[in-house]
């Protein structure tokens, strides 16, 4: 089994979803949903997460599905920003830039992980929020688990102090670059422009400002025998970079949104299909918030306990 493709995932199903007005200032992928009925919007998002969970389960992915009933957490559908898990039993908890996202961190989810999987330690960086230092998990970082490289687009959601601490604690090498969209806006999260799978990587290379750094990124990704698939600006806007490789009952899959898949060319799809089954998911409501499938799915890179004591999750 590939270290890059987990066979289990965490999803949060929100009762009060809405595009977050506090994150709109630096998230160019976010839409305002003007005129939409709030209750209808929330119900649609709830249904989309339910369908994503069912689809992943049907492909043999172990899904830990938690509901969020809190009205003050509009982005709780994106748990990968506040938690990450790592081989060897390590868990990271992260400092969030926007105040109304900080209550998304949940002790019951951490306890579920401890009960269900072999967790050796939990490294909590959330106290850095008091110093205005932020690192929004595997949104801010795209991790190559095999080569131990953390790819990071500079932003106020990826502070170099927090990144250095993470890389020291978890054993990753930072690969930092400046990336902007065609309007000159800095990319707010690296995972909207980059997806690293076992045998390929989807990357918006044209967004990386330095040609030298761009070449280094390609070189490092290719050194793991991956084929680098270059995404254009339009494909990035359609969330083609916001995908995740998972390991199901019949092998590896690439989970991405229907919108993302529609933006890919036939040759790009063929490269992906050499090693993965493409699994498109319908999440148009959730994409209004500026994130897509990768943001929704927090992969679990932990070894399962042979005997589970209790359960805090609906699987």
């Amino acid at each position: 089994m590939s270290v890059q493709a987990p066979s289990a995932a965490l999803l949060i199903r929100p009762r009060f979803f809405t595009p977050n007005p506090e994150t709109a200032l630096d998230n160019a992928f976010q839409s305002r949903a003007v005129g939409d009925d709030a209750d209808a919007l929330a119900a649609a998002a709830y249904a989309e997460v339910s369908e994503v969970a069912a689809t992943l389960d049907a492909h043999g992915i172990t899904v830990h599905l938690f509901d969020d009933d809190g009205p003050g957490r509009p982005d709780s559908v994106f748990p990968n920003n506040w938690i990450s898990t790592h081989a060897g039993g390590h868990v990271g908890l992260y400092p969030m830039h926007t105040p109304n996202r900080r209550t998304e961190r949940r002790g019951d989810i951490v306890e579920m992980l401890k009960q269900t999987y072999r967790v050796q330690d939990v490294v909590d960086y959330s106290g850095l929020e008091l110093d205005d230092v932020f690192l929004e998990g595997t949104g801010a970082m795209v991790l190559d688990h095999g080569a131990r490289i953390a790819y990071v687009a500079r932003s106020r959601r990826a502070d170099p102090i927090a990144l250095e601490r993470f890389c020291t604690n978890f054993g990753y090498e930072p690969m930092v670059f400046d990336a902007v969209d065609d309007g000159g806006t800095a990319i707010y999260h690296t995972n909207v422009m980059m997806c690293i799978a076992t045998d390929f990587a989807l990357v918006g290379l044209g967004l990386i400002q330095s040609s030298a750094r761009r070449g280094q990124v390609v070189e490092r990704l290719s050194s793991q025998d991956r084929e680098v698939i270059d995404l254009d600006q339009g494909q990035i806007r359609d969330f083609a970079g916001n995908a995740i490789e998972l390991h199901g009952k019949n092998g590896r899959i690439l989970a991405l949104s229907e919108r993302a898949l529609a933006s890919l060319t036939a040759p790009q799809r063929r490269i992906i299909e050499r090693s993965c089954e493409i699994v498109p998911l319908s999440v148009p409501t959730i994409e209004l918030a500026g994130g897509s499938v990768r943001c929704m799915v927090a992969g679990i890179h932990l070894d399962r306990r042979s005997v589970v004591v209790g359960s805090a999750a609906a699987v």
Side-chain angles (χ1 to χ4, degrees):
M1 185 176 295
S2 168
V3 297
Q4 195 68 24
S7 58
L10 165 69
L11 279 80
I12 307 293
R13 185 168 51 188
R15 293 280 185 184
F16 294 94
F17 169 87
T18 187
N20 189 348
E22 293 189 19
T23 60
L25 290 177
D26 66 343
N27 184 346
F29 292 77
Q30 191 168 320
S31 301
R32 291 193 174 190
V34 176
D36 286 338
D37 177 80
D39 291 339
L41 200 67
Y46 187 90
E48 287 174 9
V49 177
S50 300
E51 185 60 29
V52 167
T55 301
L56 294 181
D57 178 73
H59 282 81
I61 310 301
T62 299
V63 177
H64 298 279
L65 178 62
F66 284 76
D67 282 355
D68 177 34
D69 298 322
R73 293 184 289 270
D75 277 335
S76 64
V77 71
F78 302 135
N80 84 307
N81 298 154
W82 66 263
I83 189 169
S84 69
T85 62
H86 304 264
H90 309 294
V91 176
L93 304 178
Y94 296 97
M96 307 291 284
H97 178 264
T98 305
N100 72 356
R101 295 207 63 191
R102 295 171 189 172
T103 60
E104 292 175 22
R105 292 186 295 263
R106 290 175 53 168
D108 60 333
I109 290 176
V110 175
E111 287 305 311
M112 179 277 293
L113 292 174
K114 290 179 178 179
Q115 292 178 15
T116 311
Y117 299 91
R118 297 188 180 277
V119 174
Q120 301 299 320
D121 57 11
V122 178
V123 184
D124 187 353
Y125 301 105
S126 63
L128 293 173
E129 290 166 352
L130 298 174
D131 297 317
D132 291 329
V133 171
F134 314 109
L135 182 67
E136 294 190 341
T138 54
M141 304 179 290
V142 173
L143 303 178
D144 183 337
H145 295 282
R148 312 299 292 177
I149 300 172
Y151 293 88
V152 179
R154 284 190 181 91
S155 77
R156 57 184 180 180
R157 305 191 192 201
D159 190 282
I161 294 173
L163 176 62
E164 181 181 1
R165 292 190 185 182
F166 167 83
C167 288
T168 298
N169 294 148
F170 286 84
Y172 284 80
E173 172 194 350
M175 173 73 78
V176 182
F177 48 83
D178 294 300
V180 300
D181 64 19
D182 49 4
T185 301
I187 297 300
Y188 83 104
H189 272 164
T190 315
N191 76 357
V192 296
M193 62 167 287
M194 176 182 283
C195 163
I196 299 176
T198 304
D199 295 325
F200 61 88
L202 297 157
V203 191
L205 293 173
L207 282 66
I208 300 175
Q209 294 299 283
S210 165
S211 60
R213 200 55 160 170
R214 192 182 311 136
Q216 291 167 354
V217 168
V218 172
E219 180 182 6
R220 297 304 296 273
L221 289 171
S222 301
S223 68
Q224 298 298 304
D225 294 324
R226 291 190 184 94
E227 188 155 3
V228 177
I229 302 171
D230 188 11
L231 302 177
D232 63 30
Q233 295 271 1
Q235 292 173 319
I236 295 297
R237 284 193 298 271
D238 285 333
F239 297 104
N242 199 240
I244 182 169
E245 184 186 51
L246 300 165
H247 196 283
K249 60 187 177 183
N250 296 318
R252 298 196 297 271
I253 69 170
L254 184 72
L256 77 175
S257 74
E258 291 179 347
R259 174 180 172 184
L261 178 57
S263 76
L264 296 177
T265 66
Q268 289 171 332
R269 295 186 195 190
R270 284 195 291 270
I271 293 171
I272 295 168
E273 289 171 338
R274 290 174 194 162
S275 60
C276 283
E277 177 187 355
I278 297 176
V279 178
L281 302 164
S282 178
V283 291
T285 307
I286 290 164
E287 287 178 332
L288 295 174
S292 188
V293 170
R294 176 62 185 96
C295 297
M296 298 169 60
V297 178
I300 298 177
H301 297 264
L302 300 170
D303 292 332
R304 197 174 184 98
R305 290 184 180 274
S306 56
V307 177
V308 179
V309 180
S311 178
V315 180

